Amino acid sequence: MNIKGIGASKGIGIGKAVVLKAAEDKGKFVDKRILESEIEKETDRFNKAVADTAKYYDEIIVKARGVLKEQEIQVFEAYKLLLNDPILMDMIADFIKNELLCAEGSLIKAVEQVKSMFLALNDEYMRQRAEDIENVGKNIFMSLTGNMPADLSNLYEDSIIVAEDLSPADTVSLDRRHVKGFAVEKGGVTSHTAIIARTMEIPALVGCGSELKKINNGDTLIVDGIKGVLIPNPEPDVLKEYLDLQNEYNRQVEKIKSLKDEPSITLDGRKVLLAGNIATPEEANEVLSRGGEGIGLFRTEFLYLNRDNLPSEDEQFEAYRKVAEVMKDRPCIIRTLDIGGDKQSALLNIPKEENPFLGYRAIRICLTERDIFKTQLRAILRASAFGNLRVMFPMISCIEELREAKAVLKEAMSELDERNIQYNKDIEVGIMIEVPSAAISADILAKEADFFSIGTNDLCQYTLAVDRMNEKITALYNPLNIGVLRLIKNVIDAAHERGIEVGMCGEMASNPEYAVLLIGLGLDELSMVPASIPYVKQAVRNISFERAANIAKTALSLGETDKIINLLKEESNAY
Ligand code: PEP
Ligand code: MG
């Protein structure tokens, strides 16, 4: 029987099932006693499980570099520290020796006690530590029971990974040559698994439910990420049909990728600049290889993460110059430091906050830590002598902040003048529109900014009051909500009224169906993960601006999200 899921990453994957085992039932170990003569053996068994768990974390950390965010990697560093935690470890040794509990039972009891101690302190930080202890306990338990996650880094045949859910640890270690698809019980399209699958361009189904438990290792599986269905052990004719479909789909993808050198213009000749979002200078090459015509967002905060000192002016200058030189005269928007929210750095000593997304982040930090801000601005200005760089401030919520940031930029310019250093004195200065107050007052901001870039990732979460990290409420996080669309329209109209350019660098811009609406609303530039550029280019080239504008008008008049979704689906099928 076929199993329905949510298509989270398009394409068709065919391979043998590799089922990730769920952890064994803990209950049966809780009261399991040992003999006094078994104490040493049980202690050795426990110590070996801890050593294996440490090795497992080490492997993850190595594989995760460059794949996961620094914050996610640090989780495993913290777990490793807990493996040496004397309170936890002494307690377990004591339970084995003095209460004659088996290693698993001792572990379960100690984890429960330490967790309760932390939770009793009623402090957010301690609550987090309690969760960490729980996770580390789970991993030691899996090691003790011989259930360590399957080694997905060395698969020998085309495989489909089947699991309740995939953790960052599972996904970083995937053998990319042989993983042809994922199917998981949990999650929605914005879940971590879904995002990684899209980034890796692997067909994936999420939200398949408990039906997935019927799949056995070695079953032949077809993941249809387009229709959202999993086909176990297909009949030969179905398999043949899907092999043909897969070939056809792959041909289409190659065809789309071959649009790389074609211009990004609508059927009636309107230019829409397609640019890439990057986090490291090296990714600029990827933007060019996918046919991108600029950098719409360089998330410079990644230069500040994963290290124990601040990047110097020279180091930053080299990074920005590299981008400028790779991209030659193409426009490159360098966004100033956007730390805070989900991108925390130990370097800046930001105290833990109740609401980090509403707290001390981005431009708010830069306007307080002037030296850090000015160092970055000098580095950007110096690099502006080597290409077509623009500077952009994140999280601007009012005109006063923009003025203050521009005043600091002026100071940075004067300092370079004193040092007789060359830079582009007319560098364009823009802002991200990602706070609702900025979107509503875009007409005022447009008078003093050279360009806008709409950051829908944050604009959506602030407009809809939906935390972008909270999976329980992802269904509410929809950029096609009419409230968000009206704000976007307001920003575009205000920018054009003042004759300044307006782009979008939030995830919304990477969806070809949405792109049509955004073009119709009048955006000048769309910036996205490099892999999405060819798909959006195809959408641009297949529609006239006149038609896109009509679609946008209809969408705004429909008002209801579901109706807007259907409209865009129908329209995308029409060409
Ligand atoms: C955004 O908020 O849309 C954006 C592009 O910025 P970030 O995702 O880095 O917060
Ligand atoms: Mg943002």
Side-chain angles (χ1 to χ4, degrees):
M1 252 263 289
N2 296 352
I3 298 173
K4 260 202 91 49
I6 303 167
S9 176
K10 284 198 176 157
I12 290 161
I14 302 175
K16 297 282 183 198
V18 173
V19 182
L20 297 190
K21 276 196 258 174
E24 242 183 278
D25 175 21
K26 284 184 182 174
K28 67 183 189 194
F29 296 101
V30 178
D31 295 320
K32 203 168 147 209
R33 304 279 152 173
I34 55 168
L35 300 171
E36 240 170 84
S37 57
E38 290 174 324
I39 292 175
E40 196 180 326
K41 190 187 94 206
E42 207 60 7
T43 308
D44 287 350
R45 207 164 70 78
F46 178 73
N47 289 340
K48 182 173 178 313
V50 171
D52 286 348
T53 310
K55 216 167 95 200
Y56 170 65
Y57 291 150
D58 279 336
E59 283 168 10
I60 292 171
I61 291 165
V62 170
K63 284 171 188 159
R65 294 254 173 263
V67 181
L68 288 190
K69 291 185 184 154
E70 182 54 22
Q71 214 185 358
E72 289 166 326
I73 297 175
Q74 276 169 8
V75 171
F76 297 105
E77 297 280 6
Y79 287 179
K80 259 181 69 185
L81 288 180
L82 282 176
L83 291 176
N84 294 320
D85 184 83
I87 304 180
L88 183 68
M89 294 300 143
D90 289 353
M91 202 183 270
I92 293 166
D94 181 59
F95 290 154
I96 296 176
K97 193 165 160 228
N98 298 321
E99 296 193 17
L100 297 178
L101 268 179
C102 71
E104 289 88 346
S106 302
L107 171 74
I108 295 163
K109 190 168 168 185
V111 165
E112 275 313 307
Q113 291 197 5
V114 176
K115 245 179 65 186
S116 316
M117 264 159 48
F118 282 179
L119 291 176
L121 294 172
N122 205 12
D123 167 282
E124 176 56 26
Y125 179 79
M126 287 302 169
R127 241 194 310 278
Q128 279 294 328
R129 298 290 71 75
E131 228 172 78
D132 291 349
I133 293 260
E134 165 97 34
N135 286 334
V136 171
K138 255 188 220 154
N139 286 133
I140 305 176
F141 183 83
M142 287 165 96
S143 175
L144 274 170
T145 51
N147 265 334
M148 275 315 256
D151 181 8
L152 300 181
S153 60
N154 261 321
L155 299 165
Y156 59 93
E157 60 182 348
D158 288 353
S159 306
I160 306 291
I161 311 300
V162 176
E164 200 170 304
D165 198 6
L166 286 169
S167 68
D170 301 321
T171 39
V172 282
S173 48
L174 289 180
D175 173 351
R176 292 199 189 193
R177 286 164 311 157
H178 288 122
V179 174
K180 299 297 173 193
F182 300 156
V184 298
E185 289 182 32
K186 296 190 173 163
V189 280
T190 55
S191 67
H192 192 82
T193 313
I195 291 167
I196 296 219
R198 281 199 290 277
T199 313
M200 291 181 168
E201 299 180 69
I202 296 175
L205 297 170
V206 296
C208 297
S210 56
E211 284 286 291
L212 220 47
K213 294 210 191 308
K214 295 182 184 152
I215 305 294
N216 295 310
N217 264 323
D219 284 353
T220 298
L221 297 180
I222 299 174
V223 169
D224 180 345
I226 306 162
K227 289 208 198 103
V229 63
L230 180 78
I231 306 169
N233 297 319
E235 296 295 330
D237 57 328
V238 176
L239 186 60
K240 158 99 184 47
E241 185 191 325
Y242 264 97
L243 282 167
D244 291 346
L245 274 175
Q246 190 184 39
N247 280 335
E248 178 53 29
Y249 180 80
N250 292 346
R251 244 199 315 275
Q252 291 282 346
V253 169
E254 284 315 310
K255 203 169 120 205
I256 290 174
K257 284 187 180 165
S258 71
L259 290 177
K260 172 179 160 317
D261 298 318
E262 300 297 323
S264 167
I265 47 171
T266 59
L267 292 172
D268 48 358
R270 185 178 167 103
K271 170 85 193 146
V272 182
L273 193 120
L274 300 187
N277 293 351
I278 61 171
T280 63
E282 291 71 33
E283 287 167 21
N285 291 308
E286 183 136 343
V287 174
L288 288 183
S289 75
R290 301 290 184 145
E293 304 160 286
I295 303 293
L297 171 67
F298 181 2
R299 289 184 162 101
T300 61
E301 49 279 7
F302 286 89
L303 299 174
Y304 293 68
L305 302 178
N306 189 16
R307 54 188 299 155
D308 48 24
N309 58 350
L310 287 164
S312 67
E313 179 183 320
D314 280 350
E315 186 187 336
Q316 293 190 64
F317 162 63
E318 289 302 340
Y320 307 143
R321 184 175 72 166
K322 194 163 172 191
V323 173
E325 288 182 343
V326 169
M327 299 303 289
K328 302 216 165 65
D329 54 357
R330 298 175 184 88
C332 301
I333 300 177
I334 315 288
R335 178 175 75 181
T336 58
L337 188 59
D338 183 22
I339 219 97
D342 59 333
K343 290 171 286 199
Q344 295 292 343
S345 161
L347 292 176
L348 294 165
N349 275 329
I350 307 169
K352 206 158 167 44
E353 298 178 317
E354 284 288 320
N355 289 303
F357 276 111
L358 299 182
Y360 187 52
R361 67 171 289 206
I363 197 71
R364 301 167 183 184
I365 297 179
C366 288
L367 292 177
T368 309
E369 300 279 353
R370 295 287 172 109
D371 285 344
I372 295 175
F373 191 30
K374 240 193 292 174
T375 303
Q376 180 176 40
L377 291 172
R378 285 194 306 268
I380 298 172
L381 286 169
R382 282 170 59 189
S384 71
F386 295 85
N388 184 1
L389 297 193
R390 300 172 179 182
V391 62
M392 175 162 77
F393 303 127
M395 275 288 288
I396 293 289
S397 64
C398 58
I399 190 80
E400 290 79 8
E401 267 173 343
L402 171 58
R403 286 185 188 145
E404 221 178 315
K406 282 172 85 172
V408 184
L409 182 68
K410 269 226 150 54
E411 282 173 34
M413 287 180 167
S414 310
E415 289 170 11
L416 291 184
D417 288 339
E418 277 165 28
R419 285 157 56 189
N420 268 329
I421 293 179
Q422 297 283 313
Y423 63 91
N424 175 9
K425 291 191 172 13
D426 298 317
I427 190 166
E428 288 191 22
V429 182
I431 59 173
M432 288 202 65
I433 302 284
E434 49 186 346
V435 179
S437 61
I440 294 163
S441 59
D443 55 332
I444 296 169
L445 290 161
K447 290 181 192 154
E448 299 183 32
D450 296 323
F451 64 90
F452 287 159
S453 183
I454 305 175
T456 44
N457 303 344
D458 278 314
L459 187 61
C460 273
Q461 75 164 346
Y462 296 136
T463 305
L464 302 171
V466 177
D467 182 342
R468 69 194 255 193
M469 310 294 285
N470 189 334
E471 77 284 355
K472 287 209 184 76
I473 47 176
T474 46
L476 288 172
Y477 185 96
N478 196 325
L480 295 179
N481 177 292
I482 188 68
V484 178
L485 293 184
R486 283 184 181 171
L487 286 184
I488 292 172
K489 179 167 169 30
N490 190 54
V491 174
I492 297 170
D493 291 351
H496 287 165
E497 189 114 324
R498 273 317 283 191
I500 67 169
E501 281 178 12
V502 52
M504 176 178 288
C505 58
E507 287 299 306
M508 184 183 192
S510 68
N511 182 324
E513 279 176 24
Y514 299 175
V516 170
L517 166 72
L518 299 172
I519 296 162
L521 286 170
L523 277 180
D524 303 300
E525 178 230 40
L526 299 172
S527 191
M528 62 207 80
V529 287
S532 296
I533 293 173
Y535 297 89
V536 175
K537 188 182 276 186
Q538 193 195 36
V540 173
R541 291 174 55 81
N542 277 332
I543 194 139
S544 67
F545 175 63
E546 195 187 345
R547 173 126 176 242
N550 274 331
I551 294 171
K553 212 165 141 199
T554 311
L556 288 170
S557 71
L558 285 172
E560 288 169 46
T561 313
D562 283 351
K563 289 185 179 162
I564 298 172
I565 292 171
N566 286 338
L567 170 74
L568 298 184
K569 260 210 169 58
E570 275 165 28
E571 290 295 337
S572 76
N573 289 333
Y575 55 80

